[in-house]
Amino acid sequence: MESRRSFLSKVAMWMSLAASYGTAVAYALRALTPKRKLAAERSIYVGRLADMQDGGSRTVEDLRGTRVLLVREGEHVRALSTICPHLGCRVRWEGDKDRFFCPCHDGVFNREGGVVSGPPPRALDKYDVEVAAGAVYLRMKEPA
Ligand code: FES
């Protein structure tokens, strides 16, 4: 009888010990794992479509100083980063040549921001644009 009681007491002790260690491991993993934040998106009013010349460009700047090139194409507006993906020089729109141009190393991009010639390794970064009731909004993601 005594040995059965002793056996059950040891089993209960080992089970509670295992539960304690399991809980400790779960808390340790939770503490070591970084919390994920969802990137918030914001819309910035950048002007009226009627005030933008068709085929023309405008540079806007958000509150953090990020510069974005807007190019109107009929009822749509294209928004691309002004930062060249080669070494970070400022890109400009050349409407008469229908291209974006980086003067630092003669990088040339087409109207969609794709690389045409020069050293840039990839296309210009794009932003989503929404035109609603004649107003143009630039949609940007907040850094996570
Ligand atoms: S920085 Fe633009 S082409 Fe080199």
Side-chain angles (χ1 to χ4, degrees):
M1 190 68 157
E2 185 63 34
S3 79
R4 182 174 176 196
R5 188 173 294 160
S6 172
F7 172 75
L8 289 176
S9 134
K10 283 181 182 174
V11 167
M13 182 189 76
W14 282 109
M15 286 177 64
S16 62
L17 197 60
S20 300
Y21 279 122
T23 304
V25 167
Y27 274 104
L29 287 176
R30 187 200 252 170
L32 293 174
T33 308
K35 291 180 182 165
R36 264 205 276 156
K37 273 181 163 180
L38 293 177
E41 199 171 79
R42 60 185 164 146
S43 290
I44 302 168
Y45 172 77
V46 290
R48 294 173 2 110
L49 186 65
D51 295 337
M52 297 178 71
Q53 184 184 354
D54 197 6
S57 74
R58 170 190 282 183
T59 303
V60 295
E61 201 169 289
D62 73 0
L63 297 174
R64 292 189 174 166
T66 302
R67 286 182 165 202
V68 177
L69 263 168
L70 303 173
V71 178
R72 180 177 173 183
E73 297 170 341
E75 297 304 305
H76 303 283
V77 176
R78 185 180 309 276
L80 297 159
S81 170
T82 60
I83 308 298
C84 178
H86 180 223
L87 294 177
C89 288
R90 184 141 299 146
V91 171
R92 66 171 180 254
W93 170 246
E94 295 182 340
D96 55 329
K97 295 176 182 166
D98 197 32
R99 69 180 192 179
F100 292 95
F101 181 70
C102 178
C104 290
H105 308 101
D106 295 335
V108 177
F109 304 86
N110 61 24
R111 63 174 33 239
E112 285 84 31
V115 179
V116 173
S117 65
R122 61 177 174 81
L124 296 171
D125 290 336
K126 294 178 183 169
Y127 297 90
D128 290 333
V129 175
E130 183 181 342
V131 179
V136 182
Y137 298 92
L138 187 62
R139 298 180 65 86
M140 303 183 95
K141 283 195 169 61
E142 297 272 358

